[in-house]
Amino acid sequence: EVLAFDSMFHVNLHPKNEDWVDNFDLFVDIFRLGEKAQRAYDAVKRQLTQKFGQTQYACYHVRLGDFVPMCEALTEMKGNPSFQYWNEMLEKGYKCALTPDEVVMGVLSRSMPALLLSNDNPYVESRLEAASVASVSSKWVQDRLAEERPPGMNEAEFEVLSMLIEQQLCGEAEYALLNIFSTFSARIKSIKRGVGYEHWGVQAPVP
């Protein structure tokens, strides 16, 4: 059975509390998924620390390619009341779709090991490697998780667990650069409890 929602852009879970970030309990918590999921997360986190050679890293939620049609639709629907909030975000400078060069510049501005929550992008990876910036992508996380996959977990469950682990890793980063147009980013924002993150397009210049 499938329950699908189409054209749902904003949900206010607590109308009486505008600061919904504080309502962390409303979101699925990876640490409630059981001991096996916890062990898998711990193993991936250890490997991430080993890969970077340090515990501090920055996280970048990057939507390359798959977000483009939606972002183009926002521009085309300018003036449509259903898109008013999102068009206001665009007018304020928030970025919806990003170019690979914008991703590279965002990462290089921090000079920290980078967790890139996106599909592999050879151009981005080669630019960061040339700049001696260590980085891993969503695929790296998924491959490490596959090594720790709890027995009996089906593909759908594995995809959900992978998504939650990526979000948790990003939420625990020293700094996160998120996409305001993404609900995936919204959950990372909730994990960070309103501290240590910015959004693409309006991030403050790094001194």
Side-chain angles (χ1 to χ4, degrees), residues 83-94:
F83 290 81
Q84 180 179 353
Y85 173 79
W86 301 116
N87 279 303
E88 288 176 357
M89 296 300 101
L90 288 173
E91 291 173 359
K92 290 179 179 179
Y94 291 93

PDB file of all heavy atoms in Angstrom, residues 83-94:
ATOM      1  N   PHE A  83       3.349  29.067  -4.502  1.00  0.00           N
ATOM      2  CA  PHE A  83       4.809  29.098  -4.474  1.00  0.00           C
ATOM      3  C   PHE A  83       5.332  30.379  -3.818  1.00  0.00           C
ATOM      4  O   PHE A  83       6.524  30.661  -3.889  1.00  0.00           O
ATOM      5  CB  PHE A  83       5.357  29.007  -5.901  1.00  0.00           C
ATOM      6  CG  PHE A  83       5.161  27.670  -6.551  1.00  0.00           C
ATOM      7  CD1 PHE A  83       3.944  27.331  -7.126  1.00  0.00           C
ATOM      8  CD2 PHE A  83       6.186  26.741  -6.597  1.00  0.00           C
ATOM      9  CE1 PHE A  83       3.752  26.092  -7.723  1.00  0.00           C
ATOM     10  CE2 PHE A  83       6.011  25.502  -7.198  1.00  0.00           C
ATOM     11  CZ  PHE A  83       4.794  25.185  -7.755  1.00  0.00           C
ATOM     12  N   GLN A  84       4.460  31.137  -3.183  1.00  0.00           N
ATOM     13  CA  GLN A  84       4.851  32.450  -2.658  1.00  0.00           C
ATOM     14  C   GLN A  84       6.025  32.362  -1.680  1.00  0.00           C
ATOM     15  O   GLN A  84       6.995  33.111  -1.792  1.00  0.00           O
ATOM     16  CB  GLN A  84       3.664  33.117  -1.961  1.00  0.00           C
ATOM     17  CG  GLN A  84       4.015  34.494  -1.398  1.00  0.00           C
ATOM     18  CD  GLN A  84       2.820  35.163  -0.738  1.00  0.00           C
ATOM     19  OE1 GLN A  84       1.700  34.659  -0.804  1.00  0.00           O
ATOM     20  NE2 GLN A  84       3.042  36.290  -0.100  1.00  0.00           N
ATOM     21  N   TYR A  85       5.941  31.439  -0.718  1.00  0.00           N
ATOM     22  CA  TYR A  85       6.996  31.339   0.292  1.00  0.00           C
ATOM     23  C   TYR A  85       8.344  31.036  -0.355  1.00  0.00           C
ATOM     24  O   TYR A  85       9.361  31.679  -0.051  1.00  0.00           O
ATOM     25  CB  TYR A  85       6.653  30.247   1.302  1.00  0.00           C
ATOM     26  CG  TYR A  85       7.772  29.961   2.277  1.00  0.00           C
ATOM     27  CD1 TYR A  85       8.006  30.794   3.365  1.00  0.00           C
ATOM     28  CD2 TYR A  85       8.615  28.857   2.096  1.00  0.00           C
ATOM     29  CE1 TYR A  85       9.045  30.541   4.253  1.00  0.00           C
ATOM     30  CE2 TYR A  85       9.647  28.598   2.981  1.00  0.00           C
ATOM     31  CZ  TYR A  85       9.862  29.433   4.057  1.00  0.00           C
ATOM     32  OH  TYR A  85      10.896  29.179   4.922  1.00  0.00           O
ATOM     33  N   TRP A  86       8.359  30.073  -1.273  1.00  0.00           N
ATOM     34  CA  TRP A  86       9.621  29.667  -1.881  1.00  0.00           C
ATOM     35  C   TRP A  86      10.182  30.750  -2.789  1.00  0.00           C
ATOM     36  O   TRP A  86      11.398  30.943  -2.857  1.00  0.00           O
ATOM     37  CB  TRP A  86       9.425  28.365  -2.655  1.00  0.00           C
ATOM     38  CG  TRP A  86       8.941  27.259  -1.782  1.00  0.00           C
ATOM     39  CD1 TRP A  86       7.764  26.596  -1.857  1.00  0.00           C
ATOM     40  CD2 TRP A  86       9.624  26.700  -0.648  1.00  0.00           C
ATOM     41  NE1 TRP A  86       7.663  25.662  -0.862  1.00  0.00           N
ATOM     42  CE2 TRP A  86       8.787  25.700  -0.106  1.00  0.00           C
ATOM     43  CE3 TRP A  86      10.857  26.947  -0.048  1.00  0.00           C
ATOM     44  CZ2 TRP A  86       9.154  24.953   1.016  1.00  0.00           C
ATOM     45  CZ3 TRP A  86      11.225  26.194   1.069  1.00  0.00           C
ATOM     46  CH2 TRP A  86      10.377  25.216   1.579  1.00  0.00           C
ATOM     47  N   ASN A  87       9.307  31.465  -3.478  1.00  0.00           N
ATOM     48  CA  ASN A  87       9.798  32.570  -4.307  1.00  0.00           C
ATOM     49  C   ASN A  87      10.351  33.702  -3.457  1.00  0.00           C
ATOM     50  O   ASN A  87      11.300  34.383  -3.844  1.00  0.00           O
ATOM     51  CB  ASN A  87       8.683  33.081  -5.229  1.00  0.00           C
ATOM     52  CG  ASN A  87       8.528  32.218  -6.475  1.00  0.00           C
ATOM     53  OD1 ASN A  87       9.470  32.029  -7.232  1.00  0.00           O
ATOM     54  ND2 ASN A  87       7.345  31.679  -6.671  1.00  0.00           N
ATOM     55  N   GLU A  88       9.787  33.894  -2.270  1.00  0.00           N
ATOM     56  CA  GLU A  88      10.342  34.885  -1.356  1.00  0.00           C
ATOM     57  C   GLU A  88      11.743  34.476  -0.920  1.00  0.00           C
ATOM     58  O   GLU A  88      12.631  35.324  -0.760  1.00  0.00           O
ATOM     59  CB  GLU A  88       9.432  35.037  -0.131  1.00  0.00           C
ATOM     60  CG  GLU A  88       8.127  35.754  -0.421  1.00  0.00           C
ATOM     61  CD  GLU A  88       7.217  35.810   0.793  1.00  0.00           C
ATOM     62  OE1 GLU A  88       7.582  35.237   1.851  1.00  0.00           O
ATOM     63  OE2 GLU A  88       6.134  36.428   0.705  1.00  0.00           O
ATOM     64  N   MET A  89      11.962  33.179  -0.714  1.00  0.00           N
ATOM     65  CA  MET A  89      13.292  32.697  -0.347  1.00  0.00           C
ATOM     66  C   MET A  89      14.289  32.945  -1.481  1.00  0.00           C
ATOM     67  O   MET A  89      15.432  33.350  -1.242  1.00  0.00           O
ATOM     68  CB  MET A  89      13.243  31.199  -0.019  1.00  0.00           C
ATOM     69  CG  MET A  89      12.403  30.843   1.196  1.00  0.00           C
ATOM     70  SD  MET A  89      12.988  31.616   2.742  1.00  0.00           S
ATOM     71  CE  MET A  89      11.801  32.987   2.886  1.00  0.00           C
ATOM     72  N   LEU A  90      13.852  32.730  -2.724  1.00  0.00           N
ATOM     73  CA  LEU A  90      14.724  32.994  -3.862  1.00  0.00           C
ATOM     74  C   LEU A  90      15.082  34.469  -3.941  1.00  0.00           C
ATOM     75  O   LEU A  90      16.241  34.836  -4.193  1.00  0.00           O
ATOM     76  CB  LEU A  90      14.049  32.547  -5.164  1.00  0.00           C
ATOM     77  CG  LEU A  90      13.925  31.038  -5.406  1.00  0.00           C
ATOM     78  CD1 LEU A  90      13.083  30.778  -6.646  1.00  0.00           C
ATOM     79  CD2 LEU A  90      15.305  30.398  -5.550  1.00  0.00           C
ATOM     80  N   GLU A  91      14.090  35.327  -3.704  1.00  0.00           N
ATOM     81  CA  GLU A  91      14.328  36.770  -3.755  1.00  0.00           C
ATOM     82  C   GLU A  91      15.292  37.226  -2.662  1.00  0.00           C
ATOM     83  O   GLU A  91      16.018  38.213  -2.822  1.00  0.00           O
ATOM     84  CB  GLU A  91      12.998  37.520  -3.635  1.00  0.00           C
ATOM     85  CG  GLU A  91      12.100  37.343  -4.859  1.00  0.00           C
ATOM     86  CD  GLU A  91      10.724  37.953  -4.660  1.00  0.00           C
ATOM     87  OE1 GLU A  91      10.478  38.500  -3.564  1.00  0.00           O
ATOM     88  OE2 GLU A  91       9.909  37.878  -5.590  1.00  0.00           O
ATOM     89  N   LYS A  92      15.317  36.492  -1.559  1.00  0.00           N
ATOM     90  CA  LYS A  92      16.232  36.833  -0.459  1.00  0.00           C
ATOM     91  C   LYS A  92      17.646  36.321  -0.703  1.00  0.00           C
ATOM     92  O   LYS A  92      18.550  36.602   0.078  1.00  0.00           O
ATOM     93  CB  LYS A  92      15.696  36.264   0.856  1.00  0.00           C
ATOM     94  CG  LYS A  92      14.438  36.957   1.360  1.00  0.00           C
ATOM     95  CD  LYS A  92      13.948  36.327   2.662  1.00  0.00           C
ATOM     96  CE  LYS A  92      12.695  37.045   3.158  1.00  0.00           C
ATOM     97  NZ  LYS A  92      12.185  36.435   4.429  1.00  0.00           N
ATOM     98  N   GLY A  93      17.824  35.560  -1.774  1.00  0.00           N
ATOM     99  CA  GLY A  93      19.160  35.110  -2.125  1.00  0.00           C
ATOM    100  C   GLY A  93      19.462  33.650  -1.850  1.00  0.00           C
ATOM    101  O   GLY A  93      20.562  33.177  -2.142  1.00  0.00           O
ATOM    102  N   TYR A  94      18.513  32.915  -1.274  1.00  0.00           N
ATOM    103  CA  TYR A  94      18.742  31.497  -1.017  1.00  0.00           C
ATOM    104  C   TYR A  94      18.868  30.758  -2.349  1.00  0.00           C
ATOM    105  O   TYR A  94      18.142  31.035  -3.289  1.00  0.00           O
ATOM    106  CB  TYR A  94      17.593  30.895  -0.211  1.00  0.00           C
ATOM    107  CG  TYR A  94      17.520  31.377   1.212  1.00  0.00           C
ATOM    108  CD1 TYR A  94      16.731  32.475   1.560  1.00  0.00           C
ATOM    109  CD2 TYR A  94      18.246  30.736   2.217  1.00  0.00           C
ATOM    110  CE1 TYR A  94      16.665  32.923   2.875  1.00  0.00           C
ATOM    111  CE2 TYR A  94      18.182  31.171   3.530  1.00  0.00           C
ATOM    112  CZ  TYR A  94      17.390  32.266   3.859  1.00  0.00           C
ATOM    113  OH  TYR A  94      17.330  32.711   5.147  1.00  0.00           O
TER     114      TYR A  94
END
